[in-house]
Amino acid sequence: LTFPLLSVSLLVSFGSSMLYGYNLAVVNSPVVHIKAFYNATWFQRYGHGLAPGPLTLLYSLTVSIFALGGLVGSLLVGMLVERYGRNGTLSRSALLVLMAGGFMGFSRELGSPEMVIIGRSIMGLHSGRVCLGCGAVHGPFLMSQSPTPHSQGAGEDFIFPNLRGFLGLMPSIFICLGVFFAQVLGLPELLGKDRFWPLFLSVVVVPASLQLLLLHCFPESPRYLLIERNDICRATKALRRFLGTHNVQDVIEEMKEEQQSLSSVEMVSVWQLLRDRSVRWQTLSVVVLNAGMQLSGIDAIWFYTNTIFQNAGIPVSQIPYTTVGTGAIEVVAGLVGCFTIEKLGRRPLIITGFCAMGICSAGITVSLLLQTALPWMRYVSVACVAGIIAGFCMGPAGVPFLMIAELFTQSHRPAAYIVGGSLNWLCNFTVGFIFPFLQMSAGAFCYLVFCGICLLVALYVYLVIPETKNKTFMEISRIFA
């Protein structure tokens, strides 16, 4: 990869996937302080505090509203990307981050819990727009689905075929880094104190501001300029800069062929995709993978890590550092998956990941049930949480979205991304909202729900989904048939 191309790839991931990961974990550390703020504000307004049930409900809404904003953002992103391109969409989304940071940063000064909830929903709107949308602009350029003469009739080829898996999992690495940074900043020595939690929530304005400034140093996506805007001159200049060579005519010709093929291809709607019997198993696979990815329990781990460790009997003073340790394991596991996917393939990573998550979820249940009799079982709980995170980051974190691009042709791919993205956000909201109540009602047995889901998804992948590494769509379609 040339330096400009790698730089813009890192910039997009920095301002989208990393912020998404940060906002997944940022509500974990200050849970006690935010609940105390909600309770004190309620007392000032109405003369009495909140009961435990309503307080849990209000905080669960604060956590999960992020996913509802993401759902709305993901549904709007196609229109925004088509109209403004990658850079334009990123710039407008960065402005949303500045707005959200303002709401959350000044919420305590103005005595308004509503501002925290609104800020979280705006951050979700940003994540829905850039995580799915900018990958839809810049990802296809890096893994450019372009008809070429040597594609043997498949209608698919890639500028960087040997990096397809690596580039597909790059966003998951930045999600892991975002989670890790949130855990580090949440330490008591940094922003983990009561007086700093508004700053902790609003620190997202820093990377958003940097992205807003640096975007002007890079040209627009060549694919967007040529295919959407038919601006061959600017597309040629952008390609020369990104690829580091003056001779880009072959790539231009490939993009022109793609432009012609797209103009003759009728894009199917979501309803048409769901009714199309020829891709029935591919569509079902998208549903199973994306729903299972969020219902695996990983969101409960990210949103409520400190609470889980507290229930496991870890001393309160050690919980922040234990959480940071699991975050470090998460980053390492993500890197392992990123650098081994092209050697091992998609199926081994995703089956192993879901199996590990299922076994570790059962392990948490066993350790919680035995911790009274065996105090050392608390460390088994920590190991199981680390195992869930590592298993997720090695495969299930990024492979489902990568496989959408490999399971469908261009005509079906946008609708498949909408189905997968919508399920991701809906299941994210569901887990974030109901987990505290599930934990209160089922106790240690709540993790068995996640165990069952993980093992069923792994079984489905083993029985139904073929290996897609180095295969064209036609080859994959024949295997499904």
Side-chain angles (χ1 to χ4, degrees):
L1 289 177
T2 62
F3 179 75
L5 190 56
L6 184 60
S7 298
V8 76
S9 176
L10 294 174
L11 180 63
V12 172
S13 298
F14 178 72
S16 56
S17 301
M18 183 176 285
L19 283 185
Y20 169 69
Y22 184 88
N23 281 284
L24 285 176
V26 72
V27 290
N28 174 52
S29 175
V31 52
V32 175
H33 309 315
I34 296 177
K35 282 185 175 181
F37 165 64
Y38 285 179
N39 208 25
T41 304
W42 199 269
F43 184 84
Q44 291 174 0
R45 291 182 182 179
Y46 305 107
H48 61 86
L50 281 164
L55 182 59
T56 301
L57 179 65
L58 188 59
Y59 189 74
S60 297
L61 179 63
T62 304
V63 171
S64 57
I65 198 71
F66 173 74
L68 286 187
L71 175 62
V72 174
S74 65
L75 294 176
L76 294 175
V77 75
M79 175 189 67
L80 294 168
V81 169
E82 184 178 348
R83 179 177 298 181
Y84 301 115
R86 180 200 61 210
N87 287 8
T89 303
L90 282 172
S91 298
R92 287 161 176 79
S93 297
L95 294 175
L96 282 179
V97 178
L98 300 182
M99 183 190 305
F103 272 104
M104 295 185 290
F106 291 103
S107 57
R108 186 169 63 179
E109 295 297 324
L110 300 176
S112 175
E114 297 85 357
M115 291 178 67
V116 180
I117 297 174
I118 293 172
R120 286 280 295 170
S121 65
I122 295 174
M123 282 306 310
L125 184 65
H126 162 268
S127 293
R129 287 170 63 167
V130 297
C131 279
L132 192 61
C134 294
V137 179
H138 129 192
F141 171 62
L142 291 177
M143 306 191 306
S144 186
Q145 291 91 7
S146 311
T148 58
H150 55 277
S151 60
Q152 300 176 344
E156 301 281 339
D157 199 10
F158 298 86
I159 291 178
F160 306 112
N162 58 323
L163 294 176
R164 188 168 71 180
F166 175 82
L167 294 170
L169 289 190
M170 184 180 286
S172 68
I173 295 297
F174 280 85
I175 292 174
C176 295
L177 286 172
V179 171
F180 180 66
F181 285 148
Q183 293 167 340
V184 171
L185 289 178
L187 291 173
E189 293 83 358
L190 298 175
L191 301 180
K193 297 180 180 177
D194 179 54
R195 68 178 184 273
F196 289 140
W197 69 259
L199 176 61
F200 187 32
L201 295 182
S202 60
V203 77
V204 290
V205 302
V206 176
S209 300
L210 288 174
Q211 187 185 62
L212 202 58
L213 293 173
L214 293 175
L215 273 174
H216 299 290
C217 301
F218 297 97
E220 183 55 84
S221 164
R223 189 174 182 274
Y224 168 78
L225 291 173
L226 194 146
I227 295 177
E228 299 293 341
R229 288 289 177 256
N230 202 28
D231 191 338
I232 298 177
C233 181
R234 289 177 62 197
T236 302
K237 291 180 180 178
L239 273 173
R240 286 172 178 169
R241 184 170 178 190
F242 279 134
L243 300 182
T245 177
H246 189 77
N247 185 16
V248 295
Q249 192 57 37
D250 290 344
V251 183
I252 290 291
E253 291 301 322
E254 288 181 2
M255 288 186 177
K256 286 182 179 179
E257 291 178 20
E258 181 182 4
Q259 185 184 40
Q260 292 174 358
S261 67
L262 289 177
S263 64
S264 62
V265 173
E266 182 180 353
M267 297 295 177
V268 304
S269 65
V270 172
W271 179 242
Q272 289 172 323
L273 174 71
L274 297 177
R275 295 182 61 189
D276 191 341
R277 296 178 64 86
S278 67
V279 291
R280 175 178 54 190
W281 283 103
Q282 289 93 319
T283 304
L284 180 60
S285 298
V286 168
V287 171
V288 171
L289 284 176
N290 285 275
M293 172 181 167
Q294 297 297 338
L295 296 178
S296 63
I298 190 63
D299 289 317
I301 298 294
W302 276 336
F303 287 147
Y304 303 105
T305 309
N306 285 17
T307 303
I308 292 171
F309 284 157
Q310 188 173 355
N311 292 337
I314 302 297
V316 176
S317 61
Q318 297 178 14
I319 287 177
Y321 308 98
T322 308
T323 301
V324 170
T326 61
I329 293 173
E330 177 180 352
V331 175
V332 173
L335 289 171
V336 170
C338 199
F339 285 103
T340 59
I341 186 169
E342 287 302 338
K343 292 183 180 180
L344 300 178
R346 282 65 163 148
R347 270 169 50 91
L349 284 180
I350 204 164
I351 291 173
T352 303
F354 274 115
C355 285
M357 294 176 74
I359 294 170
C360 289
S361 294
I364 293 178
T365 297
V366 174
S367 63
L368 290 177
L369 292 175
L370 297 179
Q371 69 177 5
T372 303
L374 303 170
W376 55 267
M377 291 299 289
R378 70 183 65 171
Y379 303 108
V380 175
S381 295
V382 174
C384 288
V385 169
I388 291 173
I389 292 173
F392 179 78
C393 292
M394 276 196 298
V399 174
F401 272 100
L402 172 63
M403 293 186 74
I404 290 178
E406 298 178 326
L407 293 179
F408 294 92
T409 59
Q410 183 63 36
S411 60
H412 290 68
R413 196 173 292 128
Y417 270 115
I418 291 175
V419 171
S422 299
L423 280 171
N424 258 279
W425 288 113
L426 284 172
C427 294
N428 186 308
F429 171 79
T430 301
V431 173
F433 189 76
I434 71 170
F435 179 73
F437 301 99
L438 182 65
Q439 199 173 33
M440 285 190 293
S441 60
F445 296 100
C446 68
Y447 299 98
L448 293 181
V449 176
F450 303 132
C451 171
I453 291 172
C454 289
L455 296 180
L456 286 174
V457 173
L459 181 64
Y460 177 89
V461 175
Y462 178 77
L463 295 175
V464 176
I465 300 180
E467 179 56 66
T468 59
K469 183 183 73 170
N470 297 330
K471 289 185 173 67
T472 66
F473 169 78
M474 295 306 296
E475 291 171 334
I476 295 169
S477 182
R478 282 195 295 270
I479 296 172
F480 269 110

